[in-house]
Amino acid sequence: MSKGILERLAEGPVLGDGGYLLELEKRGYVQAGPFTPEVVIEHPDALAQLHREFLRAGAEVLQTMTFYASDDKLATVGLAGKVDEINRDAVGIARKVAAEGDALVAGNLSLTWAYDPADPKSADHVRELFDRQLQDQLDAGPPDFWIGETFSFTAEALLFVERAKATGLPVMATMCFETARRNSSRSPSRWWRRWPVPSPSPHSPSAMRRRMPKRTSRHGPSSRTDSPPRRSREESWRRSPPTRATRVSATSAPVAVRSPNTFARWPR
């Protein structure tokens, strides 16, 4: 039986795939501008071929071609009635190609452009958009885990995590830091503090530092470990984790924190 994403991450780096919309746009299958994924039902063979290319290049995770596959976004190009078909077929195509190797399938969702921090009612609408995509992909798969991409608002990312974790599958979310206005004036480090932080692994650098005896001499604490400049740098590092860090979590386990390079894939 194939190992899941959390088991693979526990063993080391996991290589993902790349940006389907941009690559298929270059090949003439996606319309620049809207970047909606109707290629799933209009040119499924072209999508399967790109999945296969990523698989042969060493990808261990294939994402469903469902970025911007929400009801509202598809409605902008006259495809509101194709939401269910696109989400279900995308899972089937990815699953078929993944079976040619040992790859996992990640159900992909994205920012909806429907969230408005000034409108409390928008949160319920965003939940409905997420729920429809999640249910469609569960019915067709299910995927092995979820990826929510390029959220600009922390609150919308948390809405995705809330709905996705309810399915019982592991969840990964990424943020896109473009402007202060789109990010509610939150810096990457301030955004990070909104997420739950688990107890460190016994093998993590911070836990190992706590177990190591302090270096002392007859002149007092070693300047290499306890001097104010070094202590200041370590505290600063703890307060400001990497901007592009990724968090993966499951409903049945504490949130697992990984470094930016743990789940590596080419930028969209």
Side-chain angles (χ1 to χ4, degrees):
M1 183 176 180
S2 180
K3 296 179 181 179
I5 184 63
L6 297 179
E7 296 172 293
R8 297 186 187 205
L9 286 173
E11 295 177 354
V14 176
L15 184 64
D17 50 10
Y20 287 86
L21 287 171
L22 293 179
E23 181 58 33
L24 289 170
E25 186 269 332
K26 294 176 183 177
R27 301 182 185 191
Y29 296 107
V30 170
Q31 181 182 354
F35 286 106
T36 45
E38 57 267 29
V39 63
V40 173
I41 55 177
E42 294 180 354
H43 302 284
D45 291 341
L47 174 58
Q49 177 60 30
L50 184 54
H51 277 311
R52 193 168 289 111
E53 290 176 23
F54 282 127
L55 182 67
R56 291 176 177 173
E60 300 170 77
V61 173
L62 300 180
Q63 297 177 81
T64 60
M65 178 66 169
T66 45
F67 189 96
Y68 279 169
S70 64
D71 197 359
D72 285 9
K73 185 63 177 178
L74 290 175
T76 63
V77 291
L79 293 172
K82 298 294 185 179
V83 176
D84 301 328
E85 183 180 1
I86 288 175
N87 278 275
R88 291 170 182 167
D89 286 5
V91 175
I93 294 170
R95 180 63 71 187
K96 182 177 180 180
V97 176
E100 298 175 8
D102 187 32
L104 301 175
V105 172
N108 185 279
L109 282 78
S110 66
L111 75 167
T112 62
W113 296 98
Y115 180 77
D116 182 357
D119 180 10
K121 295 182 180 179
S122 69
D124 288 335
H125 179 56
V126 170
R127 287 188 177 96
E128 292 175 359
L129 295 175
F130 286 151
D131 286 347
R132 184 172 183 179
Q133 282 193 263
L134 291 167
Q135 190 59 55
D136 284 340
Q137 294 185 39
L138 285 171
D139 292 343
D144 296 297
F145 68 105
W146 303 107
I147 296 178
E149 289 196 86
T150 62
F151 294 105
S152 296
F153 289 111
T154 307
E156 186 178 19
L158 291 173
L159 287 173
F160 162 73
V161 172
E162 169 197 304
R163 308 316 292 172
K165 287 187 70 175
T167 67
L169 298 177
V171 177
M172 167 182 159
T174 67
M175 296 290 295
C176 179
F177 299 98
E178 296 177 348
T179 66
R181 181 184 66 81
R182 285 291 297 163
N183 286 290
S184 305
S185 300
R186 289 188 180 276
S187 67
S189 60
R190 289 181 63 195
W191 167 81
W192 179 274
R193 297 189 188 102
R194 292 288 302 275
W195 293 78
V197 178
S199 300
S201 161
H203 304 294
S204 68
S206 60
M208 293 176 69
R209 280 197 298 271
R210 286 197 295 271
R211 293 200 302 270
M212 292 176 63
K214 291 184 178 180
R215 300 180 61 180
T216 61
S217 69
R218 62 179 180 175
H219 302 294
S222 168
S223 61
R224 291 188 60 188
T225 59
D226 295 316
S227 65
R230 175 62 177 269
R231 189 163 56 244
S232 176
R233 287 196 298 271
E234 290 185 353
E235 290 173 356
S236 176
W237 178 82
R238 294 191 187 99
R239 288 196 300 269
S240 302
T243 300
R244 296 179 61 83
T246 295
R247 290 174 180 267
V248 180
S249 65
T251 54
S252 59
V255 179
V257 181
R258 300 296 173 187
S259 68
N261 294 324
T262 299
F263 185 87
R265 68 182 185 84
W266 293 284
R268 184 173 294 278

